[in-house]
Amino acid sequence: MTHFSKVALRVAQFLLGFISITIISLGNAMAQEFVVAPFNFNIQNGSYTPASTNAQALAATAQEIAPQTFMQKPDPNMSLLFPQPGGILLFKSKDLKDPLNVAGKLVAPSLAIVDTIFHNQVYNQKTAGTEKYSFDMCYSLRIDGKRYYTDFRPHTIDYRYPLVYHKQLFMVASQEMGYEMYADKGNPEHFRIAVFNMQDGGIQMHFTSEQLPFNYGLEFLDESDNVITSEYKAEDQSFRVEIKGLNETYKGVWDGKELKHLN
């Protein structure tokens, strides 16, 4: 068998495995995402203070929750959690104000599966003629099969691209910051890049970026708008990605090991 034939065979085997993982995961999804009270128009004056980033509670919590870095069958509802410095609190129930419900803190990036979103209350604070909305929301999610609750917003995956040569899966993710009273719809920001190795029939976290030096500035991100474009260059096995925002454009290149910002 020629060298070219061997390479072609390995590529075909990899693609077949990747497609099989996708089909299996769609056919056997572990959970269906449900939304409880998606539009709570009983807006109250004031603002919501998140429980999962409470500095005093974080300092008093010694128990750390191990992040999930491998997923055997990528789930359609898969999200990513990128904790702030110092971590985020995860709770045993959706009563996030009870300190006895703290399960521990997550301090490293993790895969997670969101299956229920509780929209509890919308708040609106009016200051100097401007309105600022905040949201009492709770996410029910699973990390390595264990259920936790948090009001820290997961990153949703906006873009996926299989890098055949590197046997990796390249992802772009963002946080939906909400549009006026719509708590988790629109205004995607805080973009991150995550790269996973295709391993043992699943995906293993290989690299996660810091927040990209980029402000999106648009209300929505739709694949049909070609907001995220990419180019793979076979001559040096590099992968270039571009995200076009309202006033800024992010450009980066991934070589299989390192992400370089080009602007």
Side-chain angles (χ1 to χ4, degrees):
M1 184 180 291
T2 65
H3 175 71
F4 176 80
S5 298
K6 290 179 180 178
V7 171
L9 178 60
R10 286 197 294 268
V11 169
Q13 289 171 336
F14 173 78
L15 284 175
L16 178 61
F18 177 77
I19 293 170
S20 299
I21 290 171
T22 304
I23 293 173
I24 291 171
S25 67
L26 289 173
N28 298 286
M30 295 176 66
Q32 173 65 46
E33 181 178 303
F34 293 97
V35 177
V36 179
F39 305 115
N40 189 339
F41 289 105
N42 181 25
I43 301 173
Q44 293 186 9
N45 293 327
S47 62
Y48 176 71
T49 301
S52 293
T53 54
N54 183 290
Q56 185 176 357
L58 279 165
T61 302
Q63 179 67 37
E64 291 190 7
I65 294 171
Q68 181 174 354
T69 59
F70 177 79
M71 187 173 288
Q72 184 65 46
K73 296 177 181 178
D75 192 282
N77 293 326
M78 182 178 70
S79 298
L80 290 162
L81 284 170
F82 293 102
Q84 65 175 20
I88 59 171
L89 293 173
L90 299 179
F91 295 81
K92 302 173 187 176
S93 78
K94 62 186 181 70
D95 182 2
L96 307 188
K97 300 303 181 183
D98 185 353
L100 296 179
N101 274 335
V102 174
K105 58 185 177 183
L106 180 72
V107 299
S110 177
L111 290 161
I113 298 173
V114 176
D115 56 28
T116 309
I117 306 173
F118 298 92
H119 291 230
N120 299 320
Q121 185 62 57
V122 180
Y123 294 90
N124 184 15
Q125 189 168 41
K126 298 180 180 180
T127 305
T130 63
E131 296 184 338
K132 183 178 181 181
Y133 289 90
S134 58
F135 311 98
D136 177 359
M137 294 173 57
C138 179
Y139 297 87
S140 170
L141 50 82
R142 285 177 287 113
I143 297 175
D144 266 334
K146 296 180 180 179
R147 184 172 302 283
Y148 301 101
Y149 297 82
T150 182
D151 57 7
F152 185 83
R153 292 177 185 244
H155 274 63
T156 56
I157 298 166
D158 303 310
Y159 184 80
R160 309 182 191 203
Y161 192 96
L163 302 175
V164 176
Y165 179 85
H166 299 293
K167 296 183 179 180
Q168 294 174 340
L169 185 60
F170 184 98
M171 297 185 184
V172 177
S174 65
Q175 281 180 313
E176 296 277 352
M177 301 309 295
Y179 176 72
E180 293 185 347
M181 75 286 294
Y182 300 99
D184 58 347
K185 302 296 181 185
N187 286 345
E189 290 291 354
H190 311 146
F191 282 75
R192 301 260 193 156
I193 286 173
V195 181
F196 295 83
N197 290 329
M198 303 298 294
Q199 178 179 314
D200 300 328
I203 56 173
Q204 174 67 51
M205 190 178 291
H206 174 71
F207 168 85
T208 58
S209 75
E210 297 295 324
Q211 182 175 317
L212 300 182
F214 161 76
N215 291 310
Y216 183 60
L218 293 170
E219 293 176 359
F220 299 101
L221 193 159
D222 192 319
E223 288 186 15
S224 63
D225 294 333
N226 293 320
V227 168
I228 303 177
T229 57
S230 61
E231 180 185 11
Y232 177 75
K233 293 193 173 183
E235 56 267 26
D236 60 359
Q237 292 84 45
S238 66
F239 181 72
R240 294 172 182 266
V241 63
E242 183 175 298
I243 310 171
K244 298 178 182 178
L246 177 62
N247 297 313
E248 300 180 19
T249 297
Y250 172 79
K251 296 180 180 180
V253 59
W254 172 257
D255 62 5
K257 297 180 180 179
E258 183 181 4
L259 177 69
K260 294 181 180 179
H261 305 312
L262 300 180
N263 56 344

